[in-house]
Amino acid sequence: MKLVDLFFESMHMLPGDQQQYVISQFSKRVQDSGMKLWEPGDSIQHRGKRFLIGVAEFSREDLELLDALFELSDGSQLDVFMLSKCKSQSDIERYVPDVGPVYQSPVVGIWEDGILVAKASGWQAKQILTKEIKAVRGNSTHRSE
């Protein structure tokens, strides 16, 4: 089951009911998908590539982006957090250090061999993730030729 299904399952609910439903189901769906719901203090892999993506769990676009990343996973670690759990900029920076002011979702941090190599939010984060998705698609195309 895709994460974006949460959006469609709840779109006809009243706002309060929708919020409760999505939050109650999000963690389980992330785990079922093979991604990890990450929190500050959890371990970070020190080998390979790791993505940490903060999403507005009510955003269809953010959920579709997570689904696309998971489908194309090249073995990279995919960690997720809910922006609704962050009440301030400093809360967000506990997930992605020095990401700068966040005005829009998603928030993205990319680590390589345990070192943070890229970070962004909003449109810029979407551009980084789109580039990563295209790179994985390109690599899988070349492998099958």
Side-chain angles (χ1 to χ4, degrees), residues 119-135:
K119 57 190 178 272
S121 65
W123 182 85
Q124 193 174 27
K126 290 174 188 173
Q127 296 304 304
I128 289 171
L129 291 174
T130 299
K131 181 180 172 187
E132 292 287 335
I133 290 168
K134 286 180 180 176

Side-chain angles (χ1 to χ4, degrees), residues 47-117:
R47 294 181 83 52
K49 188 176 270 190
R50 173 193 182 238
F51 293 86
L52 177 58
I53 305 163
V55 296
E57 61 272 18
F58 306 102
S59 165
R60 185 183 82 192
E61 193 173 295
D62 285 5
L63 297 175
E64 287 172 339
L65 196 55
L66 284 178
D67 286 334
L69 278 170
F70 182 72
E71 286 174 14
L72 294 172
S73 180
D74 59 353
S76 299
Q77 181 178 346
L78 299 174
D79 293 336
V80 179
F81 69 98
M82 292 186 282
L83 283 168
S84 65
K85 292 197 172 219
C86 299
K87 304 302 179 208
S88 67
Q89 180 65 38
S90 62
D91 286 348
I92 295 170
E93 293 200 7
R94 291 179 62 218
Y95 290 90
V96 181
D98 301 319
V99 71
V102 173
Y103 301 109
Q104 292 181 323
S105 65
V107 173
V108 174
I110 300 175
W111 282 255
E112 289 183 11
D113 297 329
I115 298 169
L116 182 61
V117 296

Side-chain angles (χ1 to χ4, degrees), residues 18-76:
Q18 180 186 39
Q19 186 176 17
Q20 283 184 320
Y21 178 77
V22 171
I23 288 173
S24 72
Q25 295 296 310
F26 187 80
S27 298
K28 182 180 183 327
R29 300 273 178 100
V30 166
Q31 289 177 320
D32 289 349
S33 73
M35 291 181 256
K36 179 183 177 200
L37 201 59
W38 191 86
E39 296 199 16
D42 289 353
S43 64
I44 297 172
Q45 73 179 29
H46 293 286
R47 294 181 83 52
K49 188 176 270 190
R50 173 193 182 238
F51 293 86
L52 177 58
I53 305 163
V55 296
E57 61 272 18
F58 306 102
S59 165
R60 185 183 82 192
E61 193 173 295
D62 285 5
L63 297 175
E64 287 172 339
L65 196 55
L66 284 178
D67 286 334
L69 278 170
F70 182 72
E71 286 174 14
L72 294 172
S73 180
D74 59 353
S76 299

